[in-house]
Amino acid sequence: MAKTVGIGITGGIAAYKIADLVSRLKKDGHEVIVMMTAAATNFITPLTMKTLSGREVLTDLWNEAQGFNVQHIDVAEQLDLLVIAPATANFIAKMAHGLGDDLLSTVVLANTAPVLVVPSMNTNMFENRIVQNNIAILQDYGYHFLEPGSGHLACGTAGRGRLPEVQDILHRIEELLSPKQDLKNKRIMVNAGSTREDIDPVRFITNRSTGKMGYALAREALSRGAEVILVSGPSQLAVPVGVRFIPVRSAQEMCEEMLKYQADCDIIIGAAAVGDFRVARVAGQKIKKTEDKTRQVVLELVENPDILKELGKRKTEHMIMVGFAAETENVLENAKKKLLSKNLDLIVANDVTVEEAGFAADTNVVTLIDRAGSCRPLPKMSKDEVAAAIIDSVVALL
Ligand code: CTP
């Protein structure tokens, strides 16, 4: 079905590739409203975009000929999707901090449709922590991102920062224009992040998990219509808007909370890196150093409950349960054992020794294994894309 797509072009060299994108969206029958920042008009002319989109290109907040200054509200109301491509570091920063000082940034603020951001810039700029933090802020607000590609860049260097292929941008646009609602009327509980096991009032044992994978799963399930309970260990990530959020600290606490809600859930996904051990006797006071430098401080550890195993014992006939297997060797074999021992339907096998996979990374490399023995290795993907693939497999099992 024809939709209205806003294309916001900002000042990057990849702006010229957006001519092809606009042309192909038109061929697919969509209405396209092109907006350009002043910087973008240095890279490609509004006339090109006007000719391809078949309508006036909007560049100026204060241009009466373009309909004067409430135009940004009118435009925003018409959009089914807003795409910012290429998105420069500067424009990403403006969006992340709510600035509205030109036509496109005011449309972004007034817009209530989904937003797809397609960054493209020099590798060092893209990897700059400030830019990455701004991207993380926007992701927390629910903005969708397409990862830039790697290769030769216009600035003469090679690396991450290329605009993805127009075909890939089109594909993501179509996905966002017709979102799947295949988890409607389903309740899903996801656990995420690490747990903390106290040693004394100031120290604890934890692990490297940040919660990215579990939070991505919660966002994906929400966007596909599910009611989502997110049980999370301590995490720096923003809580996705719309989830029922249950913050916890220790593995035991996480287990108790999940057992409370299990019976009401259709799907349970264990993405948390649950601490397997806790300190047998937590010291009431801070453990002090002494003059005796030969003294050994020994922590006695006892095993925590295996949360998924406990939930697996109480699983009902139509409940789907998914776990992860963080492995450093014999990945598939160990994952299959965990699938059976925890009574799961699907396990996401994760070789945590692979670069850009596992804990704290933005990407992941996993294999999905189900009870019937099917084994689907996925290429390296963003954690959002892995989340979508996992939810697809869950839907297929429902
Ligand atoms: N898990 C759990 N409770 C635990 C440990 C793990 O629910 N106490 C869940 C994890 O959330 C994950 C799956 O079980 O979905 C596998 O976790 P993993 O750390 O890979 O394995 P373990 O079961 O802890 O086994 P091992 O440490 O021996 O590899």
Side-chain angles (χ1 to χ4, degrees):
M1 203 175 65
K3 296 279 172 71
T4 302
V5 182
I7 299 284
I9 310 176
T10 73
I13 181 62
Y16 78 93
K17 295 185 182 169
I18 305 308
D20 187 25
L21 179 70
V22 169
S23 152
R24 290 169 69 174
L25 281 169
K26 284 292 290 181
K27 278 190 199 131
D28 289 345
H30 298 302
E31 205 48 58
V32 182
I33 302 178
V34 178
M35 292 154 278
M36 298 174 73
T37 62
T41 61
N42 292 320
F43 290 96
I44 186 160
T45 68
L47 180 61
T48 306
M49 293 300 172
K50 178 181 170 182
T51 311
L52 293 170
S53 67
R55 50 193 294 168
E56 214 53 62
V57 171
L58 310 178
T59 52
D60 188 354
L61 188 58
W62 305 107
N63 184 346
E64 283 193 51
Q66 286 186 349
F68 203 46
N69 63 350
V70 285
Q71 173 180 243
H72 57 285
I73 309 291
D74 289 349
V75 171
E77 278 173 359
Q78 293 173 47
L79 301 181
D80 294 303
L81 177 71
L82 174 58
V83 181
I84 309 293
T88 58
N90 181 58
F91 202 78
I92 289 170
K94 277 167 67 168
M95 288 194 290
H97 299 284
L99 298 187
D101 61 357
D102 63 4
L103 180 101
L104 183 56
S105 52
T106 51
V107 169
V108 170
L109 286 171
N111 169 61
T112 54
V115 183
L116 173 63
V117 185
V118 191
S120 171
M121 65 195 78
N122 158 273
T123 311
N124 291 341
M125 288 174 81
F126 181 68
E127 289 177 355
N128 185 308
R129 278 179 57 197
I130 303 172
V131 175
Q132 288 298 317
N133 284 341
N134 286 335
I135 290 175
I137 289 173
L138 291 170
Q139 280 175 325
D140 288 342
Y141 287 129
Y143 284 42
H144 304 275
F145 274 78
L146 256 188
E147 275 283 304
S150 291
H152 174 75
L153 299 176
C155 53
T157 57
R160 227 157 43 124
R162 275 169 68 88
L163 193 84
E165 298 302 320
V166 168
Q167 185 57 42
D168 295 335
I169 305 177
L170 274 173
H171 181 73
R172 191 73 185 110
I173 288 175
E174 290 303 340
E175 275 180 358
L176 290 169
L177 285 174
S178 320
K180 293 181 199 159
Q181 287 291 294
D182 43 11
L183 288 182
K184 252 210 146 46
N185 302 322
K186 299 286 177 206
R187 186 174 293 145
I188 175 166
M189 177 159 59
V190 181
N191 69 7
S194 59
T195 55
R196 285 185 183 173
E197 306 301 336
D198 286 333
I199 298 171
D200 67 13
V202 298
R203 304 182 178 97
F204 52 80
I205 301 173
T206 188
N207 58 60
R208 294 171 194 272
S209 169
T210 55
K212 283 180 187 166
M213 194 62 245
Y215 279 56
L217 281 160
R219 284 196 300 269
E220 177 69 18
L222 263 182
S223 77
R224 289 165 77 155
E227 196 184 312
V228 181
I229 303 173
L230 176 60
V231 184
S232 174
S235 168
Q236 301 290 327
L237 303 175
V239 178
V241 177
V243 300
R244 178 163 181 185
F245 187 65
I246 318 268
V248 296
R249 185 174 165 85
S250 67
Q252 275 182 310
E253 209 187 321
M254 186 177 266
C255 191
E256 280 162 25
E257 289 298 329
M258 293 187 78
L259 285 170
K260 270 192 217 163
Y261 297 102
Q262 176 177 22
D264 301 325
C265 293
D266 304 291
I267 303 156
I268 293 172
I269 306 187
V274 184
D276 286 325
F277 306 99
R278 67 177 180 279
V279 178
R281 282 169 298 280
V282 179
Q285 302 298 330
K286 186 181 173 203
I287 301 169
K288 304 292 281 181
K289 287 185 296 213
T290 63
E291 287 308 313
D292 178 5
K293 298 303 171 204
T294 60
R295 183 183 74 139
Q296 287 189 341
V297 180
V298 179
L299 283 181
E300 193 185 323
L301 301 178
V302 290
E303 217 168 281
N304 269 329
D306 185 319
I307 301 177
L308 278 187
K309 202 172 222 170
E310 289 307 316
L311 297 173
K313 285 181 201 159
R314 296 162 176 81
K315 187 174 146 192
T316 53
E317 198 191 338
H318 297 294
M319 192 180 282
I320 300 290
M321 284 188 50
V322 182
F324 279 71
E327 304 294 344
T328 56
E329 57 181 354
N330 303 328
V331 178
L332 299 183
E333 199 182 309
N334 285 336
K336 282 179 196 161
K337 276 189 203 150
K338 282 181 191 169
L339 173 94
L340 297 177
S341 72
K342 297 178 199 243
N343 195 18
L344 306 176
D345 302 282
L346 183 76
I347 194 146
V348 185
N350 205 171
D351 183 343
V352 287
T353 62
V354 172
E355 213 183 306
E356 296 186 84
F359 293 144
D362 288 315
T363 49
N364 214 348
V365 187
V366 302
T367 301
L368 305 183
I369 305 170
D370 70 18
R371 264 190 112 80
S374 127
C375 214
R376 188 154 73 95
L378 301 179
K380 185 172 89 189
M381 290 174 165
S382 72
K383 284 190 173 169
D384 284 347
E385 290 168 312
V386 174
I390 293 171
I391 299 289
D392 283 344
S393 295
V394 167
V395 168
L397 291 171
L398 277 172

